[in-house]
Structure formats: C-alpha cells, structure tokens
C-alpha cells in the first residue's frame, strides 16, 4: 500500500529535481572607463577620445571587438557614460584590451571608415602572445583596424617595459574596490596618460527568500489511505508559459501537511519582477509517477512578503458550451476548494556573492607546493617530468602557470610562498617535506608567477629528488597561516602538484579535516601517467572526507589529473586554460560557504579615492 512506502524513498524521488543549478546565468559585471591626462593630439583643441574594448578567444587567441564607448569632445580627462557588460568567470583568464583613439569625425562606424581617426593614442596590451617587444610587431597585430598600412605607424613599446596595461577581467575585479588604474603606453618618450577601469557586479535580484507552508483539509486522493502531498512552484514567463522553480518534499499519509522550510533565490522565483505571477500546484505523490492533481493557487512575491497568507487550492474551472453560450462549472456541486494552504513564514536575506567579498577587501593568498620525489625521474633526462626543455614548459610549470596566473589577480602584493617536498637538501642531505623553493626559510615568498618559476628552476639544480610523497606538512603549513586570520579578510589557496601515490594518507586526511574549518581551499594537480586513485578519495565531491570518525566541515579539495586536459593537437595554451577552468571553478563557492558558516558579511566597499588632477570637467 502506498501509505506504507518508506518516507525517505518518496522524498528522494521528488527532490532529485534541481531546477535552479542549471538555469541561473553567469555573473555579470559592468565595466566603467575613465581616462586621465591623455596625450593631446589636436593642434587647436583637445583630443576627442573614444575607447574600444577587445576580448580574446581561448582557443584561437584572436582579438575581437566587444564594444566601444561614446566619443567625448575636446577633453583629456573623459568619464565615459557607456559601459561594458561582461560575463565574469573566476576560473577563467579573461584577457581584455582597451584601445584609446582620438576621433576626428562623428561617424560611429570607426571600423568601416579608417580615416575617421587621426592616430591611436595608446595600445593597452599586445595582441600577440609571446611577442618580443624589442622587434617590430607583426602585421596581424594591427589587422583588427581594417585600415591601410600607412596608418599602422604606432611603434611597439620599447623593450624592458612591463606589459603596458595588459589587463584581465580578474585583475580589475581583484583590485582594491574593484578599481584598476593603468598607465597608457605605446608611444616611446611620451606620457600617454592613465586609464581607469571600474567593475561593479550587476546586482539584479540577489536576494534569497526563505519560506514555509502548511495545508489543511486537502482532498483525499488515495482509495485506501490519505494523500501524500507535495507542492510545485512555477514562475510565469512573458509569453504566458510557466517555468518550474521549486518542489517541496513529500509529506506521507496526511491531509494536513506541514512542509519543511526552504530557500530559493528571488531571481529563480520571479526574476526580479515582484508582481509576476507565481503558480503553485499541489499533488498527491504516487510511486509510478502518475501524481494525482489536488489543486492550485496563484500568488506573487509582493503578496508573499506581507506574510500570513491563506490560499484556497482550487481545481481549474471547466468551460462547457450550452446553446451557444459558454458557462462555467466546477467538478461537482457545492465545490468550494480542495483545501487551503497557509504561509507560515517568509523571510528575505541578501545573498552575498564572491565578488561582494573581493570588492570588500578579501585577499586570496596563493601558495604552491611542488613534488620533488625521485619517482619524477632524473631532471637532466628528457623522460623526467621535471625536465627543463628549452622550447616548452614541463607539466609542473604549465600547471603552476595555468592556476597561478588567474589567482594572482586577487592578491594585492603578488608575493607568493613556494614550497617543495620529498627532496634531500644541501648541505647535509636531510629530507624535507616543507622547504622554500627560493632557499630562504625566513622569507619563502616569490615575486609573481615568474618569481615562482625561477625559484622552481633553481631548486632543481640544488636539491636531490628523493621521497616519500607526504602532503600533510604543506597542508599544515598553510593551515597555520589560515588559522591566524579567520575574520574574512583573507582566504588561502594551496596548489599541490604531484606525480605519485600519496604516502601519508591518514595524516593528510586529518590535516584536511582540520583545514576544512579554516578559510582555505586545496587544489591537487596530478602530472604524469601514474594511477591517482588515492587522490580521488581526498576530493570530497562524492563522499565527504573524514578522519578518526570526524567528517570535514566543508569540501575544500579539488583533484584533477593534468593528462585529462591536454589538447590532442599539442596546444599547451588551450590545455592550461582547460585545467584552470576546472580546478578553480569551485573556489568561489568554497569561499562563500566558509563565510556563511561563520556569519561573515562582506565589508563595505571602500570609498573611491579622488585622482589628484580632476580640474577639468567633461562635456558629455
């Protein structure tokens, strides 16, 4: 009999549906652009600037125009009204290029009328990966201009300059108050001015609604027992259709159910339109899936906000033709309703996002730990995973660069601890599982990704690969720093790159369980062709890791084998992008979960500081 069906089984059947996870769009950020002290290219007036944004593809690496600002006449300090709206992904390196022009006519078709611009004021980033800046830039760099070669006269940046304003979306978002200033470059011997880029998350409908319902005297649908009711929520669409957005659990064998409280993003419930119709249907659950319809009612977000609502669950009215006239009739005489549904509670809280914390000043600290065990092979031989091929990076360097180049945008000082484990150290040959790659125990910090790669290369020349493969020391190393700062101002990410089977599994599990209570995440990248079954156990996606009978508070480990992301055509840039996208995708949610578990709210955005030279007003 259906009334005797196990409640857990019934609930699982209905709750398998998750309508929200795949339907919420990517985070969108709005980029505002200003410039200060632009180079004046006009003789009798000031420049008329315009900024064009180009984005770069991951696979083809081509630059495509994304959009352009309006032209502001006669100013060297423009604040552009037109914004760029971009999809933001923490786990991807999203390269941007902003080109600044002085426009000599009012035609909006800059690309179709190349004579409409006098000269490009600045090239913000090189459009060619790995170009030698001391040499003339190849023709392909200027092909996006659609203009004759006579106008390709802008010389390349002089050798030795850092990438002149090369910018990623993560770099803008990760700057203090999400406001990035970059000097414009491209004309040797000239100060071209400064570009100011500000990012703001589009905060449409970021609230989360929590509510609870009960029902009274629902219609009995089972012949031998009472109904097993559950509710289905739908939001209306502009075309009159409805989209499912939530299902409650099944409450077994009752006509007076009290459903558990649930939470749902307001954007999923009504997409920000507080008067949009929300339809709720009540069903009697059946094992074979042919759930019996009990009744329905409609409401809206604004009505739910008022609380203490009582709705009549009504079967749809049937329409019949009698003598050419349409008359309404219900299912049976004296029909009033199929029961009532009451709203017991309704509460709305702001759903803080990853960008809220970053914008409020949360810094992400990145630490790398590299496997120096003997199973990697002799570094002087080409078969070794640590072999330094002069023509391409090895797997360790690629994994480090892929992840590090994205995370570094969220650390203001770009100084990163770099550790090694499993090697014998000079001069006494002691084995260490926690040694600084730069050889400085008191200051293991390296300057940016280039500094880490240099320290890695140098340590290969001085240490002896040995073993075993122990993770616990480096996990505990980072955990000590994370334990000292638990106020939400800092979050720590440890990248472990390894080739082999872990030797201290019990100790590592204990270290991870302890670290799960701290503001910390761990990324493990396996290189080479070894079996990594033990590593999968550390990744708590399927089964939460435990130690000594204690479950980890959060899932903080993400493991991937690098070989699964290698491009078949040998495109290492694409391989690195795929790896970074996968291993970093969980970091924002892990950070948010930690903050919520400690009731830490984002700090207020610090006030924007004023530029020193803002004496000129902009005609818009």
């Amino acid at each position: 009999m259906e009334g005797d069906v196990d409640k857990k089984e019934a609930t699982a059947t209905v709750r398998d549906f998750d309508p929200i996870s795949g339907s919420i769009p990517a985070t969108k950020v709005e980029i505002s652009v200003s410039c200060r002290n632009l180079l004046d290219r006009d003789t009798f007036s000031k420049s008329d600037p315009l900024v064009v944004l180009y984005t770069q593809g991951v696979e083809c690496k081509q630059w495509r125009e994304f959009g352009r600002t309006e032209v502001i006449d006669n100013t060297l300090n423009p604040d552009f009204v037109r914004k760029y709206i971009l999809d933001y992904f923490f786990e991807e390196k999203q390269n941007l290029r902003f080109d600044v022009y002085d426009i000599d006519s009012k035609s909006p078709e800059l690309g179709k009328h190349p004579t409409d611009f006098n000269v490009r004021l600045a090239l913000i980033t090189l459009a060619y990966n790995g170009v030698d800046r001391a040499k003339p830039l190849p023709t392909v760099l200027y092909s996006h201009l659609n203009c004759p070669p006579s106008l390709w006269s802008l010389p390349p940046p002089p050798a030795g300059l850092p990438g002149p304003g090369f910018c990623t979306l993560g770099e803008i978002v990760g700057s203090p108050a999400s406001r990035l200033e970059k000097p414009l470059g491209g004309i040797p011997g000239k100060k071209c001015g400064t570009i100011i880029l500000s990012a703001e998350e589009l905060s449409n409908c970021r609230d989360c609604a929590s509510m609870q319902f009960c029902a009274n005297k629902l219609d009995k649908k089972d012949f031998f027992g009472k109904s097993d009711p559950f509710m289905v929520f739908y939001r209306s669409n502009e075309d009159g259709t409805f989209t499912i957005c939530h299902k409650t659990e099944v409450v077994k064998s009752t006509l007076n159910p009290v459903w558990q409280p649930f939470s749902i993003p307001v954007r999923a419930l009504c997409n920000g339109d507080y008067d949009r119709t929300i339809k709720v249907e009540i069903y009697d659950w059946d094992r074979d899936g042919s759930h019996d319809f009990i009744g329905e009612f409609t409401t809206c977000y604004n009505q739910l906000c008022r609380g203490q609502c009582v709705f009549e669950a009504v079967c749809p009215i049937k329409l019949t033709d009698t003598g050419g006239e349409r008359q309404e009739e219900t299912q049976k005489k004296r029909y009033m309703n199929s029961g009532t549904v009451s709203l017991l509670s309704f509460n709305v809280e702001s759903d803080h996002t990853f960008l809220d914390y970053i914008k409020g000043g949360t810094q992400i600290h990145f630490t790398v730990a590299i496997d120096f065990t003997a199973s990697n092979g002799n570094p002087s031989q080409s078969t070794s995973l640590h072999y330094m091929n002069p023509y391409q990076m090895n797997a360790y360097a690629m994994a480090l660069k892929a992840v590090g180049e994205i995370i570094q945008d969220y650390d203001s000082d770009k100084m990163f601890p770099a550790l090694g484990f499993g090697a014998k150290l000079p001069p006494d040959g002691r084995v260490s599982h926690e040694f600084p790659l730069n050889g400085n125990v008191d200051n293991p910090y390296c300057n940016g990704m280039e500094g880490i790669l240099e320290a890695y290369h140098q340590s290969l020349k001085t240490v002896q690969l040995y073993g075993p493969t122990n993770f616990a020391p480096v996990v505990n190393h980072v955990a000590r720093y994370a334990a000292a700062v638990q106020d939400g101002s800092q979050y720590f990410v440890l990248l472990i790159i390894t080739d082999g089977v872990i030797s201290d599994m019990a100790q590592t599990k204990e270290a991870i369980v302890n670290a799960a209570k701290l503001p910390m995440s761990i990324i493990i990248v396996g290189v080479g062709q070894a079996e990594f079954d033990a590593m999968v156990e550390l990744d708590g996606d399927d089964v939460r890791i435990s130690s000594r009978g204690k479950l980890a508070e959060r899932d903080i480990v993400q493991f991937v084998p690098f070989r699964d992301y290698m491009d078949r055509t040998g495109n290492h840039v694409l391989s690195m992008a795929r790896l970074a996208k996968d291993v970093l995708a969980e970091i924002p949610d892990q950070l948010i979960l930690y903050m919520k578990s400690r009731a830490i709210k984002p700090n207020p955005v610090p006030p924007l500081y004023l530029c020193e030279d803002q004496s000129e007003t902009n005609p818009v």
Side-chain angles (χ1 to χ4, degrees):
M1 291 173 57
E2 292 188 358
D4 298 325
V5 176
D6 180 69
K7 179 178 180 180
K8 181 178 180 181
E9 180 183 349
T11 303
T13 303
V14 175
R15 293 180 68 89
D16 284 345
F17 172 75
D18 184 5
I20 300 172
S21 60
S23 60
I24 295 177
T27 299
K28 292 188 179 295
V29 295
E30 181 182 79
I31 304 297
S32 302
V33 183
S34 299
C35 298
R36 293 293 178 263
N37 304 316
L38 290 178
L39 183 65
D40 192 358
R41 305 297 296 184
D42 290 350
T43 304
F44 300 106
S45 64
K46 294 184 173 65
S47 297
D48 308 317
L50 167 146
V51 177
V52 181
L53 168 61
Y54 296 88
T55 58
Q56 188 180 45
V58 174
E59 298 190 21
C60 63
K61 308 302 288 186
Q62 290 182 348
W63 291 95
R64 292 193 175 96
E65 180 179 327
F66 181 86
R68 57 186 68 184
T69 66
E70 75 280 12
V71 178
I72 300 182
D73 293 338
N74 198 33
T75 180
L76 303 181
N77 299 293
D79 294 310
F80 297 98
V81 175
R82 193 171 298 164
K83 317 295 184 187
Y84 303 113
I85 297 177
L86 297 165
D87 287 337
Y88 164 76
F89 300 96
F90 170 79
E91 65 272 17
E92 295 183 14
K93 184 177 182 182
Q94 297 173 264
N95 291 331
L96 308 177
R97 190 184 81 219
F98 295 86
D99 288 2
V100 186
Y101 297 87
D102 174 21
I103 305 302
D104 277 348
S105 83
K106 300 300 182 291
S107 172
E109 300 294 326
L110 175 63
K112 296 181 179 179
H113 303 281
T115 57
D116 287 345
F117 63 91
N118 178 32
V119 65
R120 294 175 65 204
L121 292 179
L123 178 64
I124 305 305
T125 184
L126 297 177
Y128 184 72
N129 188 33
V131 67
D132 184 349
R133 298 188 182 112
K135 299 177 181 178
L137 297 181
T139 300
V140 69
L141 299 193
Y142 301 106
S143 61
H144 67 277
L145 291 177
N146 297 319
C147 61
S150 62
L151 294 176
W152 297 353
S153 57
L154 186 63
L161 282 181
F166 181 88
C167 177
T168 66
L169 184 53
E171 188 177 0
I172 303 174
V173 169
S175 300
S178 296
R179 184 177 188 272
L180 176 67
E181 289 194 21
K182 282 271 190 179
L184 296 171
I187 302 180
K190 298 282 188 179
K191 291 185 177 180
C192 298
T194 302
I195 189 167
I196 304 169
L197 306 168
S198 300
E200 182 168 351
E201 183 179 4
L202 294 182
S203 57
N204 179 33
C205 222
R206 285 168 45 194
D207 292 341
C208 188
S210 300
M211 62 192 86
Q212 184 179 20
F213 290 86
C214 70
N216 188 44
K217 296 182 179 179
L218 294 178
D219 277 354
K220 179 176 176 293
K221 295 294 182 179
D222 290 344
F223 186 76
F224 292 108
K226 297 178 181 178
S227 297
D228 307 317
F230 67 94
M231 293 196 299
V232 185
F233 290 72
Y234 302 84
R235 70 165 183 268
S236 60
N237 302 317
E238 293 181 357
D239 60 359
T241 60
F242 286 87
T243 299
I244 189 170
C245 58
H246 183 75
K247 280 185 180 180
T248 69
E249 78 281 8
V250 175
V251 181
K252 296 302 293 293
S253 191
T254 179
L255 303 180
N256 302 294
V258 178
W259 288 284
Q260 293 294 321
F262 65 90
S263 297
I264 182 173
V266 174
R267 59 186 170 188
L269 189 64
C270 64
N271 206 26
D273 181 358
Y274 296 156
D275 291 317
R276 178 176 295 198
T277 299
I278 299 169
K279 183 173 69 172
V280 184
E281 296 178 344
I282 305 100
Y283 289 90
D284 171 29
W285 178 84
D286 284 330
R287 180 186 293 275
D288 62 4
S290 58
H291 311 309
D292 299 317
F293 180 75
I294 296 176
E296 67 179 27
F297 63 89
T298 59
T299 182
C300 67
Y301 177 86
N302 277 333
Q303 184 179 15
L304 295 174
C305 281
R306 293 193 287 267
Q308 300 299 315
C309 305
V310 179
F311 307 96
E312 291 189 350
V314 180
C315 282
I317 295 175
K318 296 181 179 180
L319 297 177
T320 60
D321 267 337
T322 56
E325 294 183 0
R326 304 192 73 187
Q327 295 183 348
E328 296 182 351
E329 64 177 13
T330 55
Q331 289 180 316
K332 54 187 177 181
K333 295 180 179 180
R334 298 180 183 178
Y335 174 82
M336 296 296 294
N337 56 54
S338 298
T340 59
V341 178
S342 300
L343 175 65
L344 296 178
S345 64
F346 188 90
N347 184 46
V348 178
E349 293 184 355
S350 179
D351 192 14
H352 299 301
T353 67
F354 173 74
L355 291 188
D356 288 333
Y357 290 100
I358 297 300
K359 206 165 186 177
T362 297
Q363 292 283 299
I364 296 183
H365 294 284
F366 175 56
T367 301
V368 61
I370 295 179
D371 185 342
F372 282 83
T373 56
S375 56
N376 285 279
N378 188 337
S380 63
Q381 298 178 358
S382 60
T383 55
S384 172
L385 293 170
H386 283 304
Y387 178 66
M388 304 307 299
N389 189 320
Y391 301 105
Q392 69 180 41
M393 294 184 291
N394 62 33
Y396 278 92
M398 282 194 289
L400 171 60
K401 191 175 178 67
V403 177
E405 281 195 340
I406 293 176
I407 289 184
Q408 70 175 353
D409 288 338
Y410 301 87
D411 191 326
S412 58
D413 63 7
K414 305 292 188 291
M415 299 296 293
F416 308 109
L419 308 174
F421 59 90
K424 284 186 175 181
L425 306 185
D428 55 359
R430 66 180 179 88
V431 177
S432 175
H433 297 285
E434 188 186 350
F435 64 90
L437 294 187
N438 63 5
N440 190 339
V441 177
D442 297 325
N443 184 12
Y445 291 86
C446 300
N447 188 1
M449 287 304 99
E450 296 304 320
I452 295 179
L453 288 170
E454 176 62 24
Y456 163 56
H457 295 163
Q458 291 301 320
S459 58
L460 283 173
K461 301 175 183 178
T462 58
V463 305
Q464 178 186 348
L465 273 59
Y466 200 69
T469 306
N470 292 347
F471 285 2
V474 293
V475 173
N476 290 328
H477 176 99
V478 177
R480 287 194 294 270
Y481 288 92
V485 189
Q486 300 187 52
D487 60 356
S489 62
Q490 300 178 43
Y491 195 85
F492 296 80
V493 176
L494 168 63
L495 170 64
I496 301 175
I497 311 176
T498 182
D499 83 308
V501 178
I502 187 170
S503 305
D504 63 340
M505 177 62 80
Q507 295 87 341
T508 298
K509 283 184 176 181
E510 184 175 5
I512 291 173
V513 169
N514 293 331
K517 299 179 292 187
L518 304 173
M520 178 175 169
S521 292
I522 301 171
I523 298 169
I524 304 175
V525 177
V527 296
Q529 301 302 317
E531 294 297 330
F532 295 110
D533 294 343
M535 302 296 179
V536 177
E537 189 177 349
L538 300 179
D539 191 326
D541 286 343
D542 298 324
V543 179
R544 185 70 57 85
I545 189 174
S546 63
S547 174
R548 299 184 180 183
K550 184 169 62 174
L551 284 173
E553 184 176 309
R554 297 180 297 132
D555 172 22
I556 64 169
V557 178
Q558 172 76 346
F559 166 74
V560 295
F562 195 10
R563 59 176 176 249
D564 290 354
Y565 300 88
M566 296 299 292
D567 181 63
R568 294 180 179 179
T569 64
N571 186 334
H572 294 310
V573 174
L574 183 56
S575 301
M576 292 162 62
R578 289 172 175 169
L579 173 71
K581 180 179 176 63
D582 203 3
V583 301
L584 291 174
E586 295 183 8
I587 298 295
D589 286 341
Q590 291 174 0
L591 182 148
I592 292 171
L593 186 58
Y594 171 79
M595 300 297 187
K596 286 185 175 180
S597 69
R598 300 298 184 271
I600 299 173
K601 296 184 178 180
N603 290 325
V605 179
L608 294 177
Y609 56 88
L610 296 176
C611 297
E612 294 181 0
D613 184 8
Q614 291 193 6
S615 57
E616 181 181 352
T617 58
N618 298 317
V620 179

